[in-house]
Amino acid sequence: MKTIIMITLLAISVMSVNPTHADASQPWQIGFQDPATPVMEGVINFHNDLMIVVIGVGVFVGYVMWSTVYNFEQSVNPTPNRVQHGTRLEIIWTVTPAIILMFVAVPSFALLYSVDEIIDPEMTLKAVGHQWYWSYEYSDYNHLTEENSGINFDSYLVADDDLEKGQFRLLEVDNRIVLPINTHIRVLITAADVLHSWAVPSFGVKVDACPGRLNQTTMFIKKPGVFYGQCSELCGTNHGFMPICVEAVELEEYTLWLEKKLEL
């Protein structure tokens, strides 16, 4: 009984530190992060399927190279064959890769279409890159505030000395982006000074932020949690210190967050 009580208290203490699942890279991780959007699920599935083809081609090419080196060594084959061209063989090794590429291209085209598909969004988030932090605007709510200011804030890296237990170094920010799940979201991305890139691996999103240009992408987050990303374009000396932190919540929680923000 004491063991059960201790385990329960430990679980409660862990949940109180970080009540939502945090999707961030792990030590020695070599695979993808857990997907949170349909696009990222498609990317992972396509990668897994493509790796089967890559491994098969690699094994076959490796066998051909080994067979060539072994069978055409002088001690094994002292009398070389003088045939220099084989029309049938050249047709085979030209047509076969073309057929493989055609099979690979069909699912990749479908995935590319889903990545670039822009649907009618239910809300819009604008991300602006600065040296070296991000600022965000929820322009859909401009009409609900005085002077049409809407909801906008800057998001800075939390210094090592200010980190709380359970937070990630170089990934935590002072103002998180809060977004609802199961909602079609449009993200407008630009920069105020130099090139940046807004990237969140769990969402399958990586869009360049260019000064004077407005890029856009869409997201449909399927599960609640805290998701981390970083600027993925070399933008200066503090390039590694402008992280992205998105907190995805249920629609009811997002509504409460909106009400709190609009009262400020």
Side-chain angles (χ1 to χ4, degrees):
M1 178 63 70
K2 291 183 178 179
T3 304
I4 297 176
I5 294 175
M6 291 179 63
I7 294 175
T8 304
L9 292 175
L10 179 61
I12 294 175
S13 64
V14 171
M15 292 176 64
S16 63
V17 172
N18 194 0
T20 55
H21 177 66
D23 279 316
S25 57
Q26 302 296 325
W28 299 99
Q29 180 177 344
I30 60 175
F32 292 101
Q33 295 182 23
D34 294 336
T37 63
V39 170
M40 192 57 191
E41 290 178 352
V43 170
I44 293 177
N45 291 333
F46 178 67
H47 167 269
N48 295 339
D49 295 340
L50 190 60
M51 283 302 297
I52 298 175
V53 178
V54 171
I55 292 173
V57 172
V59 170
F60 175 74
V61 172
Y63 168 76
V64 171
M65 293 180 64
W66 173 84
S67 178
T68 302
V69 172
Y70 176 79
N71 291 318
F72 288 88
E73 201 271 330
Q74 185 176 4
S75 61
V76 178
N77 186 21
T79 305
N81 194 330
R82 297 297 181 181
V83 176
Q84 297 179 349
H85 299 283
T87 304
R88 182 179 301 175
L89 182 61
E90 291 183 2
I91 292 176
I92 292 174
W93 72 40
T94 302
V95 173
T96 302
I99 295 175
I100 294 175
L101 290 176
M102 289 176 60
F103 278 103
V104 170
V106 172
S108 67
F109 288 155
L111 182 59
L112 286 173
Y113 178 80
S114 67
V115 170
D116 293 333
E117 183 182 14
I118 302 298
I119 61 173
D120 187 19
E122 299 178 57
M123 64 167 294
T124 299
L125 171 71
K126 183 178 180 181
V128 183
H130 305 266
Q131 289 182 311
W132 286 272
Y133 64 96
W134 293 95
S135 62
Y136 299 98
E137 302 174 11
Y138 292 73
S139 55
D140 293 327
Y141 314 108
N142 287 354
H143 63 286
L144 299 177
T145 58
E146 297 180 1
E147 301 179 356
N148 293 329
S149 58
I151 300 175
N152 54 81
F153 54 86
D154 297 331
S155 183
Y156 290 90
L157 169 74
V158 174
D160 293 353
D161 297 337
D162 298 326
L163 287 174
E164 298 179 359
K165 186 177 181 180
Q167 293 183 334
F168 294 101
R169 177 178 176 270
L170 299 182
L171 290 177
E172 195 60 56
V173 298
D174 56 355
N175 287 314
R176 291 177 173 177
I177 311 165
V178 179
L179 295 174
I181 64 172
N182 299 324
T183 303
H184 291 287
I185 304 169
R186 173 175 57 187
V187 185
L188 304 177
I189 302 164
T190 187
D193 35 48
V194 299
L195 291 175
H196 300 277
S197 183
W198 200 81
V200 182
S202 292
F203 296 163
V205 172
K206 182 180 182 296
V207 181
D208 289 339
C210 308
R213 180 184 177 92
L214 201 61
N215 292 328
Q216 71 174 352
T217 187
T218 58
M219 298 188 306
F220 186 85
I221 307 173
K222 299 178 63 176
K223 65 177 182 179
V226 181
F227 306 94
Y228 295 93
Q230 291 177 301
C231 175
S232 299
E233 185 73 43
L234 189 59
C235 58
T237 55
N238 289 331
H239 158 69
F241 303 99
M242 50 182 302
I244 301 161
C245 183
V246 180
E247 183 174 352
V249 298
E250 299 286 349
L251 185 58
E252 294 77 9
E253 296 181 48
Y254 177 72
T255 303
L256 295 175
W257 178 83
L258 274 183
E259 293 176 353
K260 182 179 179 180
K261 279 290 184 180
L262 292 173
E263 289 176 358
L264 298 178

mmCIF file of all heavy atoms in Angstrom, residues 33-53:
data_model
loop_
_atom_site.group_PDB
_atom_site.id
_atom_site.type_symbol
_atom_site.label_atom_id
_atom_site.label_comp_id
_atom_site.label_asym_id
_atom_site.label_seq_id
_atom_site.Cartn_x
_atom_site.Cartn_y
_atom_site.Cartn_z
ATOM 1 N N GLN A 33 10.741 13.230 -34.648
ATOM 2 C CA GLN A 33 9.942 13.448 -33.451
ATOM 3 C C GLN A 33 8.520 12.946 -33.699
ATOM 4 O O GLN A 33 8.096 12.758 -34.832
ATOM 5 C CB GLN A 33 9.924 14.937 -33.081
ATOM 6 C CG GLN A 33 11.281 15.484 -32.686
ATOM 7 C CD GLN A 33 11.221 16.949 -32.268
ATOM 8 O OE1 GLN A 33 10.168 17.435 -31.877
ATOM 9 N NE2 GLN A 33 12.328 17.649 -32.368
ATOM 10 N N ASP A 34 7.780 12.736 -32.616
ATOM 11 C CA ASP A 34 6.406 12.259 -32.745
ATOM 12 C C ASP A 34 5.580 13.258 -33.547
ATOM 13 O O ASP A 34 5.624 14.461 -33.281
ATOM 14 C CB ASP A 34 5.772 12.061 -31.368
ATOM 15 C CG ASP A 34 6.441 10.947 -30.590
ATOM 16 O OD1 ASP A 34 7.040 10.067 -31.239
ATOM 17 O OD2 ASP A 34 6.375 10.961 -29.350
ATOM 18 N N PRO A 35 4.812 12.787 -34.530
ATOM 19 C CA PRO A 35 4.029 13.715 -35.361
ATOM 20 C C PRO A 35 2.807 14.239 -34.617
ATOM 21 O O PRO A 35 2.191 13.538 -33.815
ATOM 22 C CB PRO A 35 3.616 12.844 -36.551
ATOM 23 C CG PRO A 35 3.561 11.454 -35.995
ATOM 24 C CD PRO A 35 4.649 11.389 -34.953
ATOM 25 N N ALA A 36 2.456 15.490 -34.893
ATOM 26 C CA ALA A 36 1.272 16.107 -34.292
ATOM 27 C C ALA A 36 0.304 16.626 -35.340
ATOM 28 O O ALA A 36 -0.755 17.128 -34.987
ATOM 29 C CB ALA A 36 1.680 17.249 -33.359
ATOM 30 N N THR A 37 0.666 16.522 -36.615
ATOM 31 C CA THR A 37 -0.195 16.980 -37.697
ATOM 32 C C THR A 37 -0.277 15.894 -38.774
ATOM 33 O O THR A 37 0.621 15.053 -38.882
ATOM 34 C CB THR A 37 0.340 18.273 -38.332
ATOM 35 O OG1 THR A 37 1.624 18.014 -38.920
ATOM 36 C CG2 THR A 37 0.474 19.382 -37.293
ATOM 37 N N PRO A 38 -1.327 15.911 -39.591
ATOM 38 C CA PRO A 38 -1.412 14.928 -40.679
ATOM 39 C C PRO A 38 -0.242 15.024 -41.662
ATOM 40 O O PRO A 38 0.189 14.002 -42.214
ATOM 41 C CB PRO A 38 -2.745 15.281 -41.361
ATOM 42 C CG PRO A 38 -3.538 15.966 -40.311
ATOM 43 C CD PRO A 38 -2.550 16.718 -39.476
ATOM 44 N N VAL A 39 0.260 16.228 -41.885
ATOM 45 C CA VAL A 39 1.392 16.397 -42.804
ATOM 46 C C VAL A 39 2.619 15.668 -42.289
ATOM 47 O O VAL A 39 3.297 14.946 -43.036
ATOM 48 C CB VAL A 39 1.687 17.889 -43.018
ATOM 49 C CG1 VAL A 39 3.014 18.070 -43.760
ATOM 50 C CG2 VAL A 39 0.572 18.554 -43.809
ATOM 51 N N MET A 40 2.926 15.820 -41.003
ATOM 52 C CA MET A 40 4.102 15.149 -40.453
ATOM 53 C C MET A 40 3.913 13.643 -40.427
ATOM 54 O O MET A 40 4.872 12.882 -40.626
ATOM 55 C CB MET A 40 4.385 15.672 -39.040
ATOM 56 C CG MET A 40 5.740 15.248 -38.508
ATOM 57 S SD MET A 40 7.073 15.784 -39.613
ATOM 58 C CE MET A 40 8.456 14.884 -38.943
ATOM 59 N N GLU A 41 2.690 13.177 -40.201
ATOM 60 C CA GLU A 41 2.429 11.743 -40.284
ATOM 61 C C GLU A 41 2.714 11.231 -41.693
ATOM 62 O O GLU A 41 3.293 10.152 -41.876
ATOM 63 C CB GLU A 41 0.976 11.457 -39.902
ATOM 64 C CG GLU A 41 0.673 11.667 -38.428
ATOM 65 C CD GLU A 41 -0.793 11.425 -38.100
ATOM 66 O OE1 GLU A 41 -1.575 11.245 -39.060
ATOM 67 O OE2 GLU A 41 -1.143 11.423 -36.917
ATOM 68 N N GLY A 42 2.321 12.016 -42.700
ATOM 69 C CA GLY A 42 2.606 11.631 -44.080
ATOM 70 C C GLY A 42 4.085 11.622 -44.380
ATOM 71 O O GLY A 42 4.579 10.746 -45.103
ATOM 72 N N VAL A 43 4.823 12.592 -43.838
ATOM 73 C CA VAL A 43 6.270 12.645 -44.046
ATOM 74 C C VAL A 43 6.948 11.406 -43.465
ATOM 75 O O VAL A 43 7.809 10.786 -44.100
ATOM 76 C CB VAL A 43 6.856 13.929 -43.407
ATOM 77 C CG1 VAL A 43 8.379 13.880 -43.402
ATOM 78 C CG2 VAL A 43 6.377 15.166 -44.164
ATOM 79 N N ILE A 44 6.553 11.018 -42.262
ATOM 80 C CA ILE A 44 7.170 9.857 -41.616
ATOM 81 C C ILE A 44 6.821 8.573 -42.360
ATOM 82 O O ILE A 44 7.684 7.709 -42.585
ATOM 83 C CB ILE A 44 6.733 9.787 -40.143
ATOM 84 C CG1 ILE A 44 7.312 10.980 -39.361
ATOM 85 C CG2 ILE A 44 7.175 8.468 -39.503
ATOM 86 C CD1 ILE A 44 6.870 11.030 -37.917
ATOM 87 N N ASN A 45 5.557 8.424 -42.755
ATOM 88 C CA ASN A 45 5.164 7.218 -43.493
ATOM 89 C C ASN A 45 5.888 7.127 -44.833
ATOM 90 O O ASN A 45 6.329 6.041 -45.242
ATOM 91 C CB ASN A 45 3.651 7.217 -43.709
ATOM 92 C CG ASN A 45 2.882 7.019 -42.413
ATOM 93 O OD1 ASN A 45 3.386 6.415 -41.470
ATOM 94 N ND2 ASN A 45 1.665 7.532 -42.366
ATOM 95 N N PHE A 46 6.010 8.251 -45.520
ATOM 96 C CA PHE A 46 6.713 8.245 -46.801
ATOM 97 C C PHE A 46 8.195 7.919 -46.608
ATOM 98 O O PHE A 46 8.789 7.174 -47.402
ATOM 99 C CB PHE A 46 6.559 9.608 -47.475
ATOM 100 C CG PHE A 46 7.286 9.723 -48.790
ATOM 101 C CD1 PHE A 46 6.886 8.976 -49.887
ATOM 102 C CD2 PHE A 46 8.376 10.565 -48.939
ATOM 103 C CE1 PHE A 46 7.545 9.067 -51.097
ATOM 104 C CE2 PHE A 46 9.043 10.665 -50.133
ATOM 105 C CZ PHE A 46 8.636 9.914 -51.226
ATOM 106 N N HIS A 47 8.793 8.452 -45.550
ATOM 107 C CA HIS A 47 10.197 8.146 -45.260
ATOM 108 C C HIS A 47 10.393 6.664 -44.997
ATOM 109 O O HIS A 47 11.335 6.042 -45.513
ATOM 110 C CB HIS A 47 10.655 8.967 -44.057
ATOM 111 C CG HIS A 47 11.968 8.526 -43.477
ATOM 112 N ND1 HIS A 47 12.051 7.591 -42.461
ATOM 113 C CD2 HIS A 47 13.234 8.871 -43.781
ATOM 114 C CE1 HIS A 47 13.316 7.388 -42.169
ATOM 115 N NE2 HIS A 47 14.061 8.147 -42.944
ATOM 116 N N ASN A 48 9.495 6.070 -44.195
ATOM 117 C CA ASN A 48 9.628 4.646 -43.875
ATOM 118 C C ASN A 48 9.476 3.777 -45.121
ATOM 119 O O ASN A 48 10.214 2.803 -45.309
ATOM 120 C CB ASN A 48 8.588 4.252 -42.822
ATOM 121 C CG ASN A 48 8.828 4.942 -41.492
ATOM 122 O OD1 ASN A 48 9.945 5.393 -41.207
ATOM 123 N ND2 ASN A 48 7.798 5.038 -40.677
ATOM 124 N N ASP A 49 8.507 4.121 -45.969
ATOM 125 C CA ASP A 49 8.331 3.351 -47.208
ATOM 126 C C ASP A 49 9.523 3.523 -48.146
ATOM 127 O O ASP A 49 9.973 2.566 -48.791
ATOM 128 C CB ASP A 49 7.045 3.799 -47.920
ATOM 129 C CG ASP A 49 5.805 3.476 -47.112
ATOM 130 O OD1 ASP A 49 5.888 2.599 -46.234
ATOM 131 O OD2 ASP A 49 4.754 4.117 -47.338
ATOM 132 N N LEU A 50 10.032 4.742 -48.224
ATOM 133 C CA LEU A 50 11.154 5.009 -49.127
ATOM 134 C C LEU A 50 12.423 4.316 -48.669
ATOM 135 O O LEU A 50 13.254 3.906 -49.499
ATOM 136 C CB LEU A 50 11.384 6.517 -49.233
ATOM 137 C CG LEU A 50 12.364 7.000 -50.307
ATOM 138 C CD1 LEU A 50 11.889 6.587 -51.687
ATOM 139 C CD2 LEU A 50 12.525 8.514 -50.243
ATOM 140 N N MET A 51 12.586 4.158 -47.350
ATOM 141 C CA MET A 51 13.786 3.495 -46.847
ATOM 142 C C MET A 51 13.853 2.046 -47.299
ATOM 143 O O MET A 51 14.943 1.502 -47.493
ATOM 144 C CB MET A 51 13.822 3.568 -45.319
ATOM 145 C CG MET A 51 14.240 4.919 -44.772
ATOM 146 S SD MET A 51 15.864 5.447 -45.348
ATOM 147 C CE MET A 51 16.898 4.183 -44.643
ATOM 148 N N ILE A 52 12.709 1.395 -47.483
ATOM 149 C CA ILE A 52 12.702 0.015 -47.991
ATOM 150 C C ILE A 52 13.299 -0.018 -49.393
ATOM 151 O O ILE A 52 14.124 -0.877 -49.722
ATOM 152 C CB ILE A 52 11.266 -0.540 -47.988
ATOM 153 C CG1 ILE A 52 10.718 -0.581 -46.561
ATOM 154 C CG2 ILE A 52 11.227 -1.933 -48.624
ATOM 155 C CD1 ILE A 52 9.266 -1.006 -46.483
ATOM 156 N N VAL A 53 12.892 0.939 -50.228
ATOM 157 C CA VAL A 53 13.426 1.012 -51.591
ATOM 158 C C VAL A 53 14.913 1.337 -51.562
ATOM 159 O O VAL A 53 15.715 0.726 -52.285
ATOM 160 C CB VAL A 53 12.657 2.063 -52.412
ATOM 161 C CG1 VAL A 53 13.225 2.183 -53.821
ATOM 162 C CG2 VAL A 53 11.177 1.722 -52.461
#
